[in-house]
Amino acid sequence: MITNQKVLIDIIESFNSKGILFGDGVRNKIKLFELEGKTINIKSFKTPNLINKIAYKYFRKSKARRSFEYAAILLEKGIGTPQPIACAENFTLLGLQESFYISEHLQAELTFRELVLQPDYPDHENILRQFTRFTFDLHQKGIEFLDHSPGNTLIKKADDGSYSFYLVDLNRMNFHQFMDFELRMKNFNRLTPKKEMLAIMSDEYAKLYNKKYDKVFVKMCFYTNDFQMKFHRKIARKKKLLFWR
């Protein structure tokens, strides 16, 4: 728990000139700061367009506020995420100008992305199966993580050889009383296009869900292929627009 709120406010106000940049900072910018003997992680969200500035002031919660509130819900449900500290918002007459989500920085050995890019990563299949059990637990608790993509799960190895999983980039989630089979399978669609990985995840999920492997695998592949086709069409459209500039 951070006790010195004034120091935290001073850090946020000096965000642009201080701190250590974490990641590429292309879209949203993340910086690391030291506070009360801990490394904290401050995410500055991209300034929204005019419509969203107004929407975030009057009609919707900002991405920073949602991240903070969703982190608390995840921890309450026993799901790993870096410890939330605060969120901060700066409003003008036109609406939301700046927003920040602050959490403790969690140093992880890898993300799911390494499993996609490095098929020979040590203990690859075991990590993938444990990750599938983690995702099954999310679904059993009614958590639909809409940004369930390769860079958004941090993975830490424990001394006993097990792995712990922590969600980041939390601002897009749905919470359900019950998640049906279709919704569960669709939630895997962003993770990997690799059939061999989908096969392992399908095998593990089928055992947990008490459903035949073939049905799980076919449905998981269907939603993954659908996402991949839409993603590549979107990239192709952007390239055409850039060509005509």
Side-chain angles (χ1 to χ4, degrees):
M1 177 68 71
I2 301 300
T3 57
N4 197 328
Q5 294 185 7
K6 183 181 183 305
V7 174
L8 182 57
I9 291 170
D10 290 342
I11 288 175
I12 293 169
E13 289 178 345
S14 65
F15 180 87
N16 290 328
S17 59
K18 296 182 181 179
I20 300 170
L21 184 65
F22 183 75
D24 56 27
V26 172
R27 191 163 178 228
N28 304 308
K29 189 175 288 186
I30 297 173
K31 285 189 173 183
L32 306 182
F33 296 83
E34 293 301 315
L35 179 62
E36 296 184 358
K38 295 180 179 179
T39 302
I40 65 170
N41 181 309
I42 301 183
K43 182 174 184 177
S44 172
F45 289 91
K46 181 181 177 182
T47 302
N49 61 38
L50 180 59
I51 293 173
N52 282 334
K53 282 182 179 182
I54 297 169
Y56 288 143
K57 183 171 184 177
Y58 297 106
F59 306 110
R60 295 184 64 200
K61 293 178 181 178
S62 71
K63 292 180 179 181
R65 183 164 294 278
R66 278 181 277 149
S67 296
F68 179 70
E69 293 181 356
Y70 292 169
I73 293 172
L74 290 178
L75 292 176
E76 184 182 316
K77 291 178 177 289
I79 301 299
T81 191
Q83 183 66 38
I85 296 172
C87 68
E89 299 163 316
N90 178 21
F91 293 98
T92 67
L93 290 175
L94 290 176
L96 181 68
Q97 185 64 30
E98 297 176 303
S99 62
F100 304 87
Y101 172 56
I102 305 99
S103 64
E104 290 185 10
H105 184 65
L106 190 150
Q107 190 65 47
E109 282 81 2
L110 71 153
T111 67
F112 188 88
R113 180 174 284 115
E114 279 70 43
L115 300 180
V116 179
L117 298 178
Q118 302 177 41
D120 59 348
Y121 193 92
D123 212 17
H124 188 281
E125 182 173 333
N126 181 33
I127 301 172
L128 192 56
R129 288 185 180 276
Q130 288 195 39
F131 171 82
T132 305
R133 294 198 286 272
F134 168 73
T135 300
F136 179 78
D137 187 41
L138 286 179
H139 295 167
Q140 289 294 97
K141 292 172 178 175
I143 300 166
E144 183 189 6
F145 183 32
L146 296 172
D147 283 323
H148 204 27
S149 54
N152 289 342
T153 300
L154 309 182
I155 305 173
K156 285 182 65 70
K157 186 175 183 178
D159 293 337
D160 63 0
S162 64
Y163 295 87
S164 298
F165 303 88
Y166 302 84
L167 299 183
V168 295
D169 203 359
L170 306 180
N171 68 90
R172 296 201 322 126
M173 289 191 185
N174 289 325
F175 299 95
H176 306 273
Q177 289 295 322
F178 170 78
M179 287 181 66
D180 64 20
F181 179 60
E182 297 290 332
L183 193 57
R184 289 166 181 250
M185 294 299 97
K186 188 176 182 181
N187 200 217
F188 282 90
N189 68 351
R190 294 170 174 259
L191 289 166
T192 176
K194 293 187 174 182
K195 288 290 196 293
E196 60 271 23
M197 293 181 70
L198 295 175
I200 293 170
M201 291 192 292
S202 296
D203 178 66
E204 191 66 27
Y205 205 98
K207 294 172 184 175
L208 296 165
Y209 199 55
N210 196 25
K211 204 170 188 74
K212 289 184 178 180
Y213 161 78
D214 290 348
K215 290 187 177 181
V216 175
F217 181 66
V218 167
K219 193 62 71 173
M220 199 179 288
C221 287
F222 168 79
Y223 282 115
T224 297
N225 292 338
D226 182 61
F227 172 78
Q228 289 294 322
M229 286 193 304
K230 290 175 180 176
F231 175 77
H232 289 297
R233 281 201 298 265
K234 183 178 179 181
I235 296 296
R237 284 197 300 270
K238 284 185 177 180
K239 285 183 179 178
K240 282 185 179 181
L241 289 171
L242 289 171
F243 175 78
W244 287 109
R245 283 186 178 178

